[in-house]
Amino acid sequence: MDDTAPRRGSVATSHPAAPGPLQLFCFPYAGGSSRLYADWEAGLPPNVRVRAVEPPGRGRRFREAPHDRLEPLVADLLPELVAERNTPYALFGYSLGALVAFELARTMEQRHGCPPVHLCVGAFRAPHLRRTAVPDYNLPEPLFRERLRAFNGTPEAVLADDSLMELMIPILRADLAVADTYRFSADRPLSCPITAFAGSEDEEVDVSSVAQWRRHTSADFSLKVIEGDHFFLHEQQPEMLRRLSEILTGAPEARRG
């Protein structure tokens, strides 16, 4: 595979990439798209450029089949990061996006020798912790819809709209399969700092499992507990952006930029 050839349309940015700014690649949760991060740049330091990642199957890539395993998804998104390997960059991943960002960070460090300046993850258990619940992705459709309702991330109006759900369910099943079938492969910790965000009332991912991201870095680790459930990303967006601004302003490469 040619890691140096970016896939067209997989990253959205409101500004052209430039050598000085810090590139912040943002990865969505299951079923999410780059639109999750459409207004983030306005709430971050002026030297930060938000690079909202678009996985296949949605947004500008809606005609492409979504990946249902992590390895091909990482291979799909990796060229965008490789293209920026000479530019300071950080990664932010939420829920499923945290797992994707983590494996991309490991690949960038191990294969290309250029880890991110910071890895930020939210609402996802540490990757070495095995999932013990029944996998969600292959539940019969009535149970699958009930599971989506329990996640509290899909509006009731969408759940009740069969035409919309017909479009969404294949993407959601594929995304959840990525997480449900993932098997952690032990390797040396990342050399970059990690900040992990957890929701204080998250019934899907408890704070203690998010805290265990600590073992995946040989640098600094910080746990930030934000008020809210599994989707505190939306409920507490101003607070999230404030915390991220502090983190990204503190990155040595960001200060030089």
Side-chain angles (χ1 to χ4, degrees), residues 159-175:
L159 287 168
D161 188 323
D162 288 338
S163 60
L164 279 177
M165 291 304 294
E166 186 177 348
L167 295 173
M168 287 296 301
I169 282 179
I171 296 170
L172 286 161
R173 284 193 186 276
D175 284 0

PDB file of all heavy atoms in Angstrom, residues 159-175:
ATOM      1  N   LEU A 159     -34.835   7.368  15.040  1.00  0.00           N
ATOM      2  CA  LEU A 159     -35.121   5.962  15.321  1.00  0.00           C
ATOM      3  C   LEU A 159     -36.495   5.553  14.804  1.00  0.00           C
ATOM      4  O   LEU A 159     -36.708   4.394  14.422  1.00  0.00           O
ATOM      5  CB  LEU A 159     -35.036   5.712  16.829  1.00  0.00           C
ATOM      6  CG  LEU A 159     -33.637   5.714  17.442  1.00  0.00           C
ATOM      7  CD1 LEU A 159     -33.722   5.749  18.962  1.00  0.00           C
ATOM      8  CD2 LEU A 159     -32.847   4.500  16.986  1.00  0.00           C
ATOM      9  N   ALA A 160     -37.423   6.488  14.793  1.00  0.00           N
ATOM     10  CA  ALA A 160     -38.786   6.190  14.357  1.00  0.00           C
ATOM     11  C   ALA A 160     -38.974   6.312  12.848  1.00  0.00           C
ATOM     12  O   ALA A 160     -40.028   5.947  12.328  1.00  0.00           O
ATOM     13  CB  ALA A 160     -39.767   7.119  15.067  1.00  0.00           C
ATOM     14  N   ASP A 161     -37.955   6.813  12.158  1.00  0.00           N
ATOM     15  CA  ASP A 161     -38.054   7.019  10.708  1.00  0.00           C
ATOM     16  C   ASP A 161     -37.399   5.843   9.988  1.00  0.00           C
ATOM     17  O   ASP A 161     -36.176   5.749   9.895  1.00  0.00           O
ATOM     18  CB  ASP A 161     -37.366   8.337  10.327  1.00  0.00           C
ATOM     19  CG  ASP A 161     -37.597   8.718   8.879  1.00  0.00           C
ATOM     20  OD1 ASP A 161     -37.627   7.825   8.021  1.00  0.00           O
ATOM     21  OD2 ASP A 161     -37.721   9.932   8.606  1.00  0.00           O
ATOM     22  N   ASP A 162     -38.213   4.933   9.478  1.00  0.00           N
ATOM     23  CA  ASP A 162     -37.677   3.711   8.864  1.00  0.00           C
ATOM     24  C   ASP A 162     -36.789   4.003   7.665  1.00  0.00           C
ATOM     25  O   ASP A 162     -35.810   3.289   7.429  1.00  0.00           O
ATOM     26  CB  ASP A 162     -38.820   2.786   8.452  1.00  0.00           C
ATOM     27  CG  ASP A 162     -39.493   2.134   9.652  1.00  0.00           C
ATOM     28  OD1 ASP A 162     -38.837   2.068  10.719  1.00  0.00           O
ATOM     29  OD2 ASP A 162     -40.649   1.705   9.533  1.00  0.00           O
ATOM     30  N   SER A 163     -37.108   5.029   6.891  1.00  0.00           N
ATOM     31  CA  SER A 163     -36.295   5.332   5.713  1.00  0.00           C
ATOM     32  C   SER A 163     -34.906   5.813   6.119  1.00  0.00           C
ATOM     33  O   SER A 163     -33.903   5.428   5.505  1.00  0.00           O
ATOM     34  CB  SER A 163     -36.987   6.375   4.831  1.00  0.00           C
ATOM     35  OG  SER A 163     -37.198   7.577   5.541  1.00  0.00           O
ATOM     36  N   LEU A 164     -34.837   6.629   7.158  1.00  0.00           N
ATOM     37  CA  LEU A 164     -33.532   7.085   7.648  1.00  0.00           C
ATOM     38  C   LEU A 164     -32.754   5.935   8.272  1.00  0.00           C
ATOM     39  O   LEU A 164     -31.544   5.789   8.050  1.00  0.00           O
ATOM     40  CB  LEU A 164     -33.709   8.208   8.678  1.00  0.00           C
ATOM     41  CG  LEU A 164     -33.949   9.613   8.139  1.00  0.00           C
ATOM     42  CD1 LEU A 164     -34.180  10.584   9.290  1.00  0.00           C
ATOM     43  CD2 LEU A 164     -32.779  10.068   7.284  1.00  0.00           C
ATOM     44  N   MET A 165     -33.446   5.116   9.041  1.00  0.00           N
ATOM     45  CA  MET A 165     -32.763   4.002   9.700  1.00  0.00           C
ATOM     46  C   MET A 165     -32.255   2.983   8.698  1.00  0.00           C
ATOM     47  O   MET A 165     -31.224   2.337   8.913  1.00  0.00           O
ATOM     48  CB  MET A 165     -33.693   3.337  10.715  1.00  0.00           C
ATOM     49  CG  MET A 165     -34.007   4.203  11.921  1.00  0.00           C
ATOM     50  SD  MET A 165     -32.513   4.766  12.788  1.00  0.00           S
ATOM     51  CE  MET A 165     -31.881   3.206  13.418  1.00  0.00           C
ATOM     52  N   GLU A 166     -32.956   2.853   7.581  1.00  0.00           N
ATOM     53  CA  GLU A 166     -32.483   1.940   6.535  1.00  0.00           C
ATOM     54  C   GLU A 166     -31.119   2.379   6.006  1.00  0.00           C
ATOM     55  O   GLU A 166     -30.277   1.546   5.649  1.00  0.00           O
ATOM     56  CB  GLU A 166     -33.507   1.893   5.401  1.00  0.00           C
ATOM     57  CG  GLU A 166     -33.173   0.863   4.325  1.00  0.00           C
ATOM     58  CD  GLU A 166     -34.241   0.774   3.256  1.00  0.00           C
ATOM     59  OE1 GLU A 166     -35.344   1.328   3.454  1.00  0.00           O
ATOM     60  OE2 GLU A 166     -33.963   0.158   2.209  1.00  0.00           O
ATOM     61  N   LEU A 167     -30.892   3.688   5.975  1.00  0.00           N
ATOM     62  CA  LEU A 167     -29.591   4.215   5.550  1.00  0.00           C
ATOM     63  C   LEU A 167     -28.558   4.127   6.661  1.00  0.00           C
ATOM     64  O   LEU A 167     -27.375   3.864   6.406  1.00  0.00           O
ATOM     65  CB  LEU A 167     -29.750   5.677   5.105  1.00  0.00           C
ATOM     66  CG  LEU A 167     -30.616   5.939   3.875  1.00  0.00           C
ATOM     67  CD1 LEU A 167     -30.796   7.440   3.682  1.00  0.00           C
ATOM     68  CD2 LEU A 167     -29.991   5.303   2.639  1.00  0.00           C
ATOM     69  N   MET A 168     -28.994   4.365   7.896  1.00  0.00           N
ATOM     70  CA  MET A 168     -28.059   4.480   9.012  1.00  0.00           C
ATOM     71  C   MET A 168     -27.604   3.139   9.568  1.00  0.00           C
ATOM     72  O   MET A 168     -26.445   2.996   9.988  1.00  0.00           O
ATOM     73  CB  MET A 168     -28.697   5.291  10.154  1.00  0.00           C
ATOM     74  CG  MET A 168     -28.804   6.776   9.880  1.00  0.00           C
ATOM     75  SD  MET A 168     -27.159   7.537   9.709  1.00  0.00           S
ATOM     76  CE  MET A 168     -26.427   7.163  11.298  1.00  0.00           C
ATOM     77  N   ILE A 169     -28.486   2.154   9.615  1.00  0.00           N
ATOM     78  CA  ILE A 169     -28.163   0.900  10.302  1.00  0.00           C
ATOM     79  C   ILE A 169     -26.942   0.197   9.708  1.00  0.00           C
ATOM     80  O   ILE A 169     -26.081  -0.264  10.477  1.00  0.00           O
ATOM     81  CB  ILE A 169     -29.400  -0.015  10.364  1.00  0.00           C
ATOM     82  CG1 ILE A 169     -30.333   0.480  11.476  1.00  0.00           C
ATOM     83  CG2 ILE A 169     -29.004  -1.466  10.611  1.00  0.00           C
ATOM     84  CD1 ILE A 169     -31.612  -0.307  11.641  1.00  0.00           C
ATOM     85  N   PRO A 170     -26.772   0.109   8.385  1.00  0.00           N
ATOM     86  CA  PRO A 170     -25.554  -0.542   7.878  1.00  0.00           C
ATOM     87  C   PRO A 170     -24.268   0.169   8.318  1.00  0.00           C
ATOM     88  O   PRO A 170     -23.263  -0.492   8.616  1.00  0.00           O
ATOM     89  CB  PRO A 170     -25.728  -0.482   6.359  1.00  0.00           C
ATOM     90  CG  PRO A 170     -27.200  -0.383   6.149  1.00  0.00           C
ATOM     91  CD  PRO A 170     -27.709   0.437   7.286  1.00  0.00           C
ATOM     92  N   ILE A 171     -24.309   1.491   8.382  1.00  0.00           N
ATOM     93  CA  ILE A 171     -23.132   2.251   8.827  1.00  0.00           C
ATOM     94  C   ILE A 171     -22.884   2.001  10.307  1.00  0.00           C
ATOM     95  O   ILE A 171     -21.746   1.751  10.736  1.00  0.00           O
ATOM     96  CB  ILE A 171     -23.332   3.758   8.555  1.00  0.00           C
ATOM     97  CG1 ILE A 171     -23.445   4.011   7.055  1.00  0.00           C
ATOM     98  CG2 ILE A 171     -22.194   4.576   9.153  1.00  0.00           C
ATOM     99  CD1 ILE A 171     -23.879   5.420   6.703  1.00  0.00           C
ATOM    100  N   LEU A 172     -23.943   2.044  11.102  1.00  0.00           N
ATOM    101  CA  LEU A 172     -23.802   1.825  12.537  1.00  0.00           C
ATOM    102  C   LEU A 172     -23.337   0.406  12.843  1.00  0.00           C
ATOM    103  O   LEU A 172     -22.469   0.201  13.706  1.00  0.00           O
ATOM    104  CB  LEU A 172     -25.125   2.118  13.241  1.00  0.00           C
ATOM    105  CG  LEU A 172     -25.482   3.602  13.368  1.00  0.00           C
ATOM    106  CD1 LEU A 172     -26.961   3.783  13.638  1.00  0.00           C
ATOM    107  CD2 LEU A 172     -24.644   4.247  14.473  1.00  0.00           C
ATOM    108  N   ARG A 173     -23.888  -0.568  12.147  1.00  0.00           N
ATOM    109  CA  ARG A 173     -23.450  -1.954  12.366  1.00  0.00           C
ATOM    110  C   ARG A 173     -21.967  -2.107  12.024  1.00  0.00           C
ATOM    111  O   ARG A 173     -21.214  -2.759  12.756  1.00  0.00           O
ATOM    112  CB  ARG A 173     -24.282  -2.923  11.535  1.00  0.00           C
ATOM    113  CG  ARG A 173     -25.686  -3.195  12.076  1.00  0.00           C
ATOM    114  CD  ARG A 173     -26.299  -4.387  11.361  1.00  0.00           C
ATOM    115  NE  ARG A 173     -27.673  -4.634  11.721  1.00  0.00           N
ATOM    116  CZ  ARG A 173     -28.073  -5.331  12.781  1.00  0.00           C
ATOM    117  NH1 ARG A 173     -27.170  -5.837  13.623  1.00  0.00           N
ATOM    118  NH2 ARG A 173     -29.359  -5.530  13.026  1.00  0.00           N
ATOM    119  N   ALA A 174     -21.541  -1.523  10.909  1.00  0.00           N
ATOM    120  CA  ALA A 174     -20.139  -1.623  10.514  1.00  0.00           C
ATOM    121  C   ALA A 174     -19.241  -0.952  11.542  1.00  0.00           C
ATOM    122  O   ALA A 174     -18.212  -1.508  11.955  1.00  0.00           O
ATOM    123  CB  ALA A 174     -19.938  -1.002   9.134  1.00  0.00           C
ATOM    124  N   ASP A 175     -19.619   0.251  11.981  1.00  0.00           N
ATOM    125  CA  ASP A 175     -18.796   0.974  12.959  1.00  0.00           C
ATOM    126  C   ASP A 175     -18.707   0.222  14.280  1.00  0.00           C
ATOM    127  O   ASP A 175     -17.626   0.108  14.882  1.00  0.00           O
ATOM    128  CB  ASP A 175     -19.377   2.370  13.204  1.00  0.00           C
ATOM    129  CG  ASP A 175     -19.081   3.337  12.070  1.00  0.00           C
ATOM    130  OD1 ASP A 175     -18.424   2.926  11.088  1.00  0.00           O
ATOM    131  OD2 ASP A 175     -19.502   4.508  12.164  1.00  0.00           O
TER     132      ASP A 175
END
